[in-house]
Amino acid sequence: MKRKSWLVLMALVMAFGTLLAACGSGSSNTGTSGESGDGATAAQDLHINMSAEPPTFDPAQAKDSQTNTALRLMYEGLTRTGTDGNPVPGVAEKWDVSEDGLKYTFHLRDNAQWSNGEPVTAEDFAYAWERVLSPKTTPASEYAYQLYYIKNGQEFNEGKVKDFADVGVKVVDEKTLEVTLANPTSYWLGLTSFYTYYPVNKKNVEANAQWASKADTMITNGAFNLTTWTTGQELAWTKNAKYWDAASVKLNTVTASLVNSGATEFSSYQSGQLDYAGAPTGEIPTDQIPAAKQQYPDQFQAKGIASTYYYLFNLKEKPFNNLKIRQAFSMSINRQAIVDNVTLGGQIPAYGYVPPGIKGNTEEFRTEYKDSYFKEDAAKAKELLAEGMKEEGYTTLPEITLIYNSSEAHQKVALAIADMWKNNLGVSVKTQNQEWSVFLDNRQSGNYQIARAGWTADYNDPMTFLDMWMKGNGNNDAKYDNAEYDALLKDAQASQDNAKRMEDMSKAEKILVQDDMAMMPIYYYTSVSLVKPNLKGIVVDFSGAIDFTRAYFQ
Amino acid sequence: MVRYIASKFLYMLLSLFILASATFFLMKAIPGNPFMSEKNVQPQIKERLMEQYGLNKPIAEQYLQYLGNLVKGDLGISMKYQNQEVSQRIADTFSPSLQIGIFAIVISIVVGIVLGLIAALYHRKLIDNVAMIIAVLGIAVPSFVLATLIQYIFALKLGWFDVMGFNEPSDFVLPVIALAVQPIAFIARLTRSSMLEVLNADYIKTAKAKGLNGFTIMTRHVVRNGILPVVTYVGPMTANIVTGSVVIEQIFGIGGIGRVFVDSITNRDYTMIMGVTIFYGVLLMLARFVTDILYVLVDPRIKLSGRKGS
């Protein structure tokens, strides 16, 4: 029957079959060879989700948290971050520091080798760092500034110093690397565990410029090798038998699906497809957090991480060029209510800028210097607003727009805060969401009045939060300009005395938040995740970066 | 026929050129660049990157260079994914979209037409009513609601399928259903109404009067004439489905081309935006082209060069 209509069907199917042949050729070997999803417990096979595919597997090009998670599995720097957050020996088995804190001599362990069996040498590190800094590297490394601590690193990157021999990196012999810093920097050692400092296999990189774009051309020195890379679909790593510390690596494989949906991720965790869900690799949707907490009280984790969520005032534009108006806006919201009812992830209300988790002199900076820079007080805020308006000669406030990048979470916070302003100050603020790049463009070019912002630590020192507010800093989107602030920070940067540095930085923070109210802190982030009860050994560092290399199933 | 195809083909090239040009300039007009993040890139690094990717040249020069490469079939290198060819990424991610899409298309055409036929034959009877209620529901329920619902029931609660992924044959089932339900409903309604119209036409009465048997009437007259509106719908639908549904792919965790397109815009990955747009353009035009030819095959009354006598 219906001969013709079947013809129609056949023709259609064949037309697209041809397309399939034409376009679908090549590399989607999706078959994950015989993994039994439910046998995960005994098999030491970890399943996670990454909400985006790492854009690169080249340490010199890395700049985002997904790549960080992936590279931590595959590479090891001179040091690693230990369970207590301090640097522990990695490729370097020991190191000496000179009296003046400028010169580090690293002694590489003899059994450190690449996945192809070649030894990891001091030359591999020097070469990797030269690649990061060299102005000739294509594409240019966006994180090159992480190596500016090294003597002449910045000058070499900017092309002012031509010869890498003048940069403070010296290969003494195959297993000895000598590094000279520009300034004594107490936290620099911790940075040697960061991805920009990872070594690369010199021979391999020089032989093949595309080495990092295929799984089988990568030569790495970490606990795992990337073995499956299905574009947009899945990544899988297998334990690297050549890794010097392979004995303490218990997982056999790590498999990451690449799904950009918190809801799907949560469902997959519920169904047992995933062993780990949530930050920093994925996301538990805010509206599912109460359900997750209730359903898995022993698997739900909300850890504080060193990041701050805040609103940025445009200090050059009306009306936020006025201090009292800024203070009024900042004092008239209820931060506790926001974290309890809107964000739901156990975040901590912020009254300062440096988050908990950042080291101070002997304890955490936030423990040593409390963030009691201001208090929420609606009545006082209203008075301040009236005074501020009088100073500026306003009878009514100019129209105010709050911008944030499109995301349900940011939207909820923005609406809650706008509502608080309306109730407590009687001010109507327009909220506007903007697509990510448009938003960043507006914020960077000063085309805003109040904008959402967030800042994550690059290294474990308050300076990573404070130096961005110095005049001329590339991240000073608020165009904050206070000579006293800059002087205090320069003092701290030059000093070797840690107690004095912390003192300086706390004074600077007080100026920034209490005296100038240059921005409006809202909360300190937490990292919300679900972890299967028998999955142990995951290390999350101060910044929220995750290390699965020593994870195992009990 | 050859002339017809040749002229169609020329029109396709022209449309493609217009598409590429318009996309290029629109894309450059939106704010932002591929090298943006919460942490600002240092000015000198950004400058270096712009130079390395040729983004600091005058826009006209960039445009001409792009067209030149396009003619050579070179879609360039992604600006977000290091060292990865745009064409390779498109091929890799189109494959799952296409596989799921083909299943969904075949199922929606077969089930849709059969459902529509049955409904038409049993017009105003119980079967017809049931089929049409289902069809209305199918059209009314958005696919993402349906997708979430069947995922919840069949994957999470009953555990018959994986919640997400694209590894085993069983991973096809839920996304294909989610993709197919709406087209099935639409095709069924389309088939039914067009069949009903044909069934009441004079030539069917003539055929009956001539004493042709029911089967011959059905296949030679009713279906053949009634199928035309469906053919019209199937062309664009096909292109629509195989270009990937962002939402369905996201819900079922399938790394298809839908997400690549959306992400490329968010990332301002210029070469990728252009590549996927052109690829989509070609697909859509091919689908229309095939539809046009199918028309002629199904209904000889439509002459190839019917617009101006040949």
Side-chain angles (χ1 to χ4, degrees):
Chain A
M1 62 163 271
K2 292 186 289 176
R3 208 166 50 88
K4 274 282 155 79
S5 71
W6 280 109
L7 255 179
V8 172
L9 283 184
M10 288 298 289
L12 262 175
V13 171
M14 278 174 66
F16 284 92
T18 321
L19 265 176
L20 171 71
C23 312
S25 65
S27 65
S28 68
N29 314 322
T30 326
T32 45
S33 46
E35 281 167 84
S36 53
D38 47 347
T41 312
Q44 299 292 348
D45 295 315
L46 174 68
H47 291 85
I48 60 172
N49 180 50
M50 296 171 103
S51 57
E53 184 175 328
T56 181
F57 286 92
D58 179 349
Q61 301 296 343
K63 56 177 181 182
D64 65 298
S65 72
Q66 302 295 357
T67 312
N68 192 357
T69 306
L71 292 186
R72 243 167 231 250
L73 289 168
M74 300 160 65
Y75 287 90
E76 186 177 78
L78 292 166
T79 63
R80 290 195 306 118
T81 308
T83 41
D84 61 351
N86 289 315
V88 296
V91 172
E93 60 183 339
K94 57 183 190 315
W95 49 86
D96 317 308
V97 189
S98 66
E99 279 286 306
D100 57 7
L102 282 176
K103 192 177 278 182
Y104 285 74
T105 312
F106 293 95
H107 303 281
L108 275 52
R109 57 182 84 241
D110 285 329
N111 56 350
Q113 48 185 334
W114 293 100
S115 48
N116 64 353
E118 289 168 10
V120 179
T121 62
E123 179 61 34
D124 289 324
F125 280 94
Y127 174 72
W129 298 358
E130 181 181 352
R131 259 182 100 230
V132 170
L133 287 172
S134 170
K136 296 196 188 79
T137 303
T138 314
S141 168
E142 288 179 37
Y143 263 38
Y145 69 88
Q146 298 281 3
L147 270 67
Y148 284 3
Y149 301 94
I150 300 170
K151 192 184 121 204
N152 279 338
Q154 180 163 9
E155 288 78 0
F156 181 70
N157 186 232
E158 286 169 354
K160 289 177 198 146
V161 166
K162 301 284 177 208
D163 190 353
F164 189 67
D166 297 331
V167 179
V169 181
K170 196 171 138 206
V171 178
V172 178
D173 60 46
E174 194 175 294
K175 291 290 178 188
T176 314
L177 185 72
E178 199 179 276
V179 183
T180 313
L181 303 185
N183 293 303
T185 312
S186 55
Y187 51 83
W188 182 77
L189 189 65
L191 272 174
T192 57
S193 66
F194 190 69
Y195 49 76
T196 318
Y197 283 85
Y198 287 157
V200 291
N201 185 296
K202 187 178 176 182
K203 264 192 254 168
N204 188 41
V205 175
E206 282 182 339
N208 176 10
Q210 319 277 309
W211 64 281
S213 58
K214 283 205 177 63
D216 52 8
T217 52
M218 292 181 211
I219 296 177
T220 53
N221 74 327
F224 291 86
N225 297 324
L226 182 68
T227 40
T228 308
W229 179 0
T230 311
T231 310
Q233 188 69 50
E234 188 177 84
L235 296 169
W237 294 265
T238 312
K239 183 178 172 177
N240 176 11
K242 296 267 170 38
Y243 176 53
W244 67 268
D245 196 19
S248 24
V249 177
K250 301 195 183 93
L251 290 177
N252 290 320
T253 64
V254 179
T255 309
S257 52
L258 302 172
V259 177
N260 180 24
S261 158
T264 301
E265 184 173 328
F266 183 48
S267 300
S268 300
Y269 182 84
Q270 289 177 300
S271 79
Q273 248 180 300
L274 293 177
D275 304 306
Y276 182 95
T281 49
E283 183 204 5
I284 312 282
T286 311
D287 51 6
Q288 304 262 38
I289 287 178
K293 244 188 233 175
Q294 194 195 15
Q295 201 176 349
Y296 304 105
D298 54 334
Q299 302 171 34
F300 182 87
Q301 302 187 344
K303 277 189 198 137
I305 56 168
S307 297
T308 307
Y309 190 104
Y310 62 101
Y311 279 175
L312 197 60
F313 293 121
N314 189 336
L315 304 172
K316 302 279 174 216
E317 290 282 331
K318 283 176 183 176
F320 294 111
N321 51 354
N322 183 286
L323 171 65
K324 285 184 174 152
I325 295 180
R326 294 199 296 272
Q327 285 173 326
F329 272 71
S330 187
M331 287 164 65
S332 57
I333 64 166
N334 183 345
R335 289 163 179 79
Q336 192 64 48
I338 292 169
V339 300
D340 286 346
N341 305 319
V342 183
T343 59
L344 301 169
Q347 289 86 349
I348 304 152
Y351 302 93
Y353 188 52
V354 179
I358 292 288
K359 276 187 218 159
N361 188 26
T362 50
E363 289 173 76
E364 282 188 8
F365 180 79
R366 204 66 292 167
T367 319
E368 289 171 350
Y369 304 95
K370 293 272 176 276
D371 63 350
S372 49
Y373 295 127
F374 64 96
K375 282 205 170 62
E376 289 162 359
D377 182 342
K380 182 87 193 301
K382 215 163 179 176
E383 272 169 43
L384 281 166
L385 180 68
E387 284 170 35
M389 285 172 67
K390 207 168 153 199
E391 282 175 17
E392 298 294 318
Y394 300 140
T395 45
T396 52
L397 274 179
E399 189 176 296
I400 299 170
T401 307
L402 160 67
I403 62 168
Y404 58 93
N405 52 306
S406 309
S407 132
E408 214 177 312
H410 299 327
Q411 183 180 37
K412 284 179 181 161
V413 174
L415 292 178
I417 288 181
D419 198 48
M420 291 171 180
W421 283 332
K422 175 126 190 98
N423 292 334
N424 297 339
L425 293 179
V427 180
S428 300
V429 171
K430 230 168 84 185
T431 60
Q432 188 184 77
N433 75 68
Q434 298 184 338
E435 188 262 356
W436 181 231
S437 296
V438 175
F439 170 77
L440 288 179
D441 200 59
N442 281 332
R443 214 175 66 185
Q444 285 167 19
S445 50
N447 184 20
Y448 69 94
Q449 291 171 300
I450 323 178
R452 185 209 80 87
W455 194 258
T456 310
D458 275 332
Y459 47 88
N460 200 343
D461 192 84
M463 190 59 82
T464 189
F465 285 87
L466 297 173
D467 69 354
M468 60 178 281
W469 300 95
M470 290 169 83
K471 189 180 181 183
N473 187 294
N475 280 306
N476 190 351
D477 288 343
K479 306 283 178 277
Y480 180 61
D481 179 3
N482 183 320
E484 200 189 342
Y485 182 87
D486 290 4
L488 278 166
L489 283 192
K490 276 185 191 138
D491 206 29
Q493 281 167 341
S495 168
Q496 264 204 80
D497 177 357
N498 214 23
K500 183 179 178 309
R501 287 181 65 245
M502 294 301 157
E503 193 61 40
D504 281 343
M505 287 191 282
S506 77
K507 277 184 200 154
E509 192 193 26
K510 179 169 172 286
I511 294 175
L512 179 77
V513 183
Q514 180 170 329
D515 301 352
D516 286 344
M517 195 57 89
M519 49 90 194
M520 176 177 131
I522 299 172
Y523 61 76
Y524 304 121
Y525 278 88
T526 50
S527 165
V528 172
S529 59
L530 286 164
V531 188
K532 283 275 138 81
N534 60 337
L535 176 57
K536 309 281 181 197
I538 294 173
V539 179
V540 176
D541 76 5
F542 71 99
S543 71
I546 194 160
D547 183 353
F548 287 110
T549 55
R550 266 64 176 180
Y552 61 94
F553 290 97
Q554 222 168 30
Chain B
M1 186 82 173
V2 174
R3 226 181 113 181
Y4 174 77
I5 291 177
S7 79
K8 276 273 170 196
F9 190 70
L10 281 179
Y11 272 117
M12 264 173 66
L13 283 186
L14 181 69
S15 321
L16 216 54
F17 168 73
I18 295 171
L19 174 75
S21 309
T23 313
F24 188 88
F25 289 108
L26 282 174
M27 172 181 90
K28 294 286 179 179
I30 45 176
N33 64 62
F35 320 111
M36 293 185 108
S37 61
E38 182 91 42
K39 295 188 179 174
N40 300 349
V41 179
Q42 293 155 284
Q44 91 265 14
I45 301 275
K46 188 176 151 193
E47 216 165 280
R48 216 177 277 161
L49 284 166
M50 296 296 257
E51 194 185 316
Q52 286 163 345
Y53 283 106
L55 295 174
N56 56 352
K57 291 182 194 150
I59 195 147
E61 196 184 330
Q62 291 183 40
Y63 171 67
L64 290 178
Q65 195 175 11
Y66 187 82
L67 283 189
N69 288 339
L70 192 61
V71 170
K72 281 183 267 170
D74 179 9
L75 292 176
I77 301 262
S78 163
M79 294 182 184
K80 162 92 175 176
Y81 296 94
Q82 235 78 57
N83 274 330
Q84 294 195 42
E85 302 253 355
V86 169
S87 49
Q88 187 61 48
R89 275 192 85 79
I90 291 178
D92 288 351
T93 50
F94 182 54
S95 168
S97 298
L98 182 65
Q99 291 173 41
I100 288 180
I102 284 182
F103 272 100
I105 290 162
V106 172
I107 287 174
S108 38
I109 293 175
V110 174
V111 178
I113 290 180
V114 169
L115 221 62
L117 268 180
I118 294 174
L121 289 178
Y122 297 90
H123 186 43
R124 302 263 157 102
K125 300 216 172 77
L126 182 65
I127 292 184
D128 179 27
N129 291 338
V130 171
M132 284 308 112
I133 287 172
I134 294 172
V136 169
L137 274 178
I139 292 175
V141 177
S143 60
F144 65 90
V145 173
L146 182 81
T148 316
L149 194 71
I150 58 178
Q151 183 185 50
Y152 181 75
I153 295 172
F154 296 106
L156 198 56
K157 285 290 142 194
L158 299 174
W160 294 353
F161 303 99
D162 283 345
V163 172
M164 62 169 186
F166 189 64
N167 300 321
E168 298 151 44
S170 67
D171 289 338
F172 276 76
V173 178
L174 298 182
V176 166
I177 293 176
L179 272 179
V181 162
Q182 221 156 16
I184 285 178
F186 202 85
I187 291 176
R189 287 182 58 86
L190 216 55
T191 312
R192 175 179 173 270
S193 57
S194 125
M195 293 296 163
L196 284 178
E197 202 177 303
V198 175
L199 280 173
N200 293 326
D202 287 345
Y203 58 84
I204 300 295
K205 287 179 191 150
T206 314
K208 276 183 188 156
K210 275 199 302 192
L212 286 178
N213 69 35
F215 184 74
T216 318
I217 295 177
M218 259 336 262
T219 50
R220 291 198 60 117
H221 299 285
V222 179
V223 171
R224 196 160 172 184
N225 288 299
I227 207 85
L228 270 178
V230 177
V231 175
T232 317
Y233 170 72
V234 163
M237 174 199 85
T238 304
N240 216 343
I241 289 183
V242 296
T243 49
S245 157
V246 184
V247 179
I248 301 290
E249 283 172 9
Q250 199 175 37
I251 291 173
F252 292 106
I254 296 156
I257 195 164
R259 178 178 177 193
V260 172
F261 192 36
V262 175
D263 283 356
S264 71
I265 299 169
T266 316
N267 295 330
R268 300 289 188 274
D269 189 344
Y270 293 139
T271 39
M272 193 65 93
I273 298 177
M274 291 302 297
V276 183
T277 310
I278 289 170
F279 178 70
Y280 276 11
V282 170
L283 267 188
L284 275 165
M285 285 171 204
L286 276 179
R288 282 211 48 185
F289 186 60
V290 172
T291 314
D292 280 346
I293 293 178
L294 283 180
Y295 261 169
V296 182
L297 292 180
V298 177
D299 188 351
R301 284 175 305 184
I302 300 173
K303 285 283 172 283
L304 288 178
S305 41
R307 281 159 221 159
K308 288 177 189 153
S310 58

